[in-house]
Amino acid sequence: MPARLTVLSGPSGVGKGTLVRALRELAPHVWVSVSATTRHPRPGERDGREYRFVSRAEFEQMIVEDALLEHAEFAGNHYGTPRSPVLKHLAADVPTLLEIELEGARQVRRSMPDARFVFLAPPSPEELVHRLSGRGTESAEAQRARLARAEIELAAASEFDHVVVNERVDDAARQVAELLG
Ligand code: 5GP
C-alpha cells in the first residue's frame, strides 16, 4: 500500500507557506513537493527550495512532455507539480504533500482520487483580506488578482475532505501533521 498523498490547498494569504514550514519541523518524514513556477522569486526565495523558477518556455515544454501532475495559472503566473518526484516518493512509501491552489487540487482529485484533500481556511474572510493587503511583496494589481481569486477559493472549502482553520499556525500545523499520520 503506497504512502498517502496529501493535497493542501486554500486561498492565497491564508498562510499555507508558513504552515508548510512549521510542518517540516513537526513531521520531517513528510516530503514536500517543489513546484515549478514562472513567477519571479520573492526576496529570500531560492531556486530549487521554495520553487523551481522557470521561464514560460521551460514551463510549456514541461506541459508538452506531460511532466506535470497538474498545473494552473494563478494571478498571471503558471504553477505546476513535477510528476516524477511525486510518484517516486509515493512508490518509496514516503508521505507526500502538495501545497497547491484550487484548480490544481481539482486536477489531482481527478487523476489520483485516493489522495487526501485538506483545505486551510482563514479564521474569517476579513482576516484574509487583512493578511493579503499587509504582505507588501505584491503590486496593487497582483493583490487585487489574489483577492478576487481568494473569494472563489473560499467558496470551494466544502469540496475538501478536511477543513483546518488557521487561527494559530502551530495548532493548524499540528492538525495537518495528525492527518498526514
Ligand atoms: P505564491 O505565488 O504565493 O507562492 O503561490 C500562489 C498560489 O499558487 C498559491 O495558492 C499556491 O498554493 C499555488 N501553487 C504553488 N505551487 C503550485 C503548483 O504546483 N500547482 C498549483 N496548481 N498551484 C500551486
Side-chain angles (χ1 to χ4, degrees), residues 22-78:
L23 206 57
R24 282 184 199 276
E25 303 223 329
L26 275 175
H29 60 292
V30 173
W31 179 73
V32 183
S33 164
V34 180
S35 298
T37 183
T38 59
R39 158 163 94 56
H40 294 300
R42 296 190 185 121
E45 287 183 335
R46 208 167 61 204
D47 187 39
R49 189 177 60 185
E50 284 81 10
Y51 284 105
R52 271 176 65 192
F53 295 100
V54 298
S55 67
R56 183 71 194 264
E58 286 171 310
F59 196 90
E60 271 162 18
Q61 186 63 25
M62 285 188 237
I63 295 174
V64 168
E65 289 170 355
D66 201 22
L68 298 176
L69 182 62
E70 58 72 37
H71 62 92
E73 188 181 344
F74 182 93
N77 294 301
H78 296 267

Side-chain angles (χ1 to χ4, degrees), residues 85-162:
V86 170
L87 298 185
K88 198 182 78 196
H89 283 88
L90 289 175
D93 222 21
V94 179
T96 294
L97 180 72
L98 311 185
E99 185 257 277
I100 62 178
E101 54 66 73
L102 178 64
E103 285 309 320
R106 286 174 171 161
Q107 290 171 38
V108 178
R109 190 186 274 294
R110 286 196 288 275
S111 62
M112 301 177 91
D114 290 341
R116 181 195 284 121
F117 293 84
V118 181
F119 187 86
L120 189 64
S124 69
E126 293 76 24
E127 176 63 24
L128 187 69
V129 173
H130 179 69
R131 289 186 198 176
L132 266 177
S133 315
R135 190 141 74 177
T137 49
E138 260 93 32
S139 67
E141 191 190 339
Q143 276 185 20
R144 270 196 298 279
R146 279 167 187 263
L147 273 171
R149 184 74 167 238
E151 272 183 36
I152 295 170
E153 299 224 348
L154 275 178
S158 62
E159 293 177 26
F160 287 73
D161 304 323
H162 304 274

